[in-house]
Amino acid sequence: MAERVAIKTAYITLAQLLKMENIIASGGQAKAFLAEQSVLLNGEEENRRGKKLYPGDQVDFQGTRYLIDHQSAEEEAEEAEKQAILARFAAGQKQAAHKEKKRQTAISRQQRANKKAAQRSSNQKPSGPGSWN
């Protein structure tokens, strides 16, 4: 059974495919992985991590076949919707952070005012009959 890998760009590299499929954690691991594992690209052995994979290519390794394909219009629309949701969420988070900062500024301003008032009242000399002792 083959797994479909949809891409947005004209091509991806073999290292990108390995990262997308969570076979390796980083691009730096691709060279070592390809040195140890047998990978077939369209039936021929391939060990170059930068090899470009185009729609229609088939990559076989570890008993799994990956078919490189273009993203469909539906997948593109779904991706755009996800990006729009994330953008709205980020804007909401930014707005909430701004409100919290304004609230903290108001609190610290009030605390400074209270401290100054306390200092003024403690600096006054007592006056009146209670201070004659």
Side-chain angles (χ1 to χ4, degrees):
M1 184 170 143
E3 287 190 36
R4 181 176 172 269
V5 178
I7 61 174
K8 295 185 242 183
T9 58
Y11 65 87
I12 62 170
T13 65
L14 184 54
Q16 288 173 320
L17 172 68
L18 297 173
K19 283 177 20 182
M20 283 173 57
E21 295 301 317
N22 295 320
I23 296 163
I24 59 172
S26 70
Q29 295 175 337
K31 187 174 185 177
F33 178 84
L34 292 171
E36 295 173 3
Q37 299 291 323
S38 175
V39 175
L40 299 177
L41 172 61
N42 299 326
E44 296 181 17
E45 192 162 339
E46 184 60 62
N47 62 1
R48 295 175 290 175
R49 65 178 180 228
K51 177 64 178 166
K52 294 176 182 177
L53 308 176
Y54 294 93
D57 283 343
Q58 294 180 10
V59 179
D60 296 297
F61 61 91
Q62 297 178 340
T64 305
R65 175 172 284 174
Y66 297 90
L67 299 174
I68 310 301
D69 195 9
H70 282 294
Q71 248 186 359
S72 67
E74 184 178 294
E75 289 169 325
E76 287 179 17
E78 185 178 315
E79 183 70 25
E81 184 179 349
K82 284 180 187 177
Q83 293 301 322
I85 290 169
L86 289 173
R88 286 194 305 270
F89 177 76
Q93 291 292 313
K94 187 175 180 180
Q95 187 177 21
H98 180 69
K99 284 182 179 180
E100 178 62 19
K101 185 175 180 180
K102 283 178 69 173
R103 189 180 75 78
Q104 289 294 332
T105 301
I107 289 171
S108 64
R109 193 175 295 137
Q110 184 62 44
Q111 288 172 342
R112 284 193 305 270
N114 292 346
K115 187 175 181 181
K116 285 182 181 180
Q119 285 175 344
R120 272 186 263 137
S121 67
S122 68
N123 290 341
Q124 292 180 350
K125 302 266 191 255
S127 61
S131 64
W132 294 347
N133 296 336

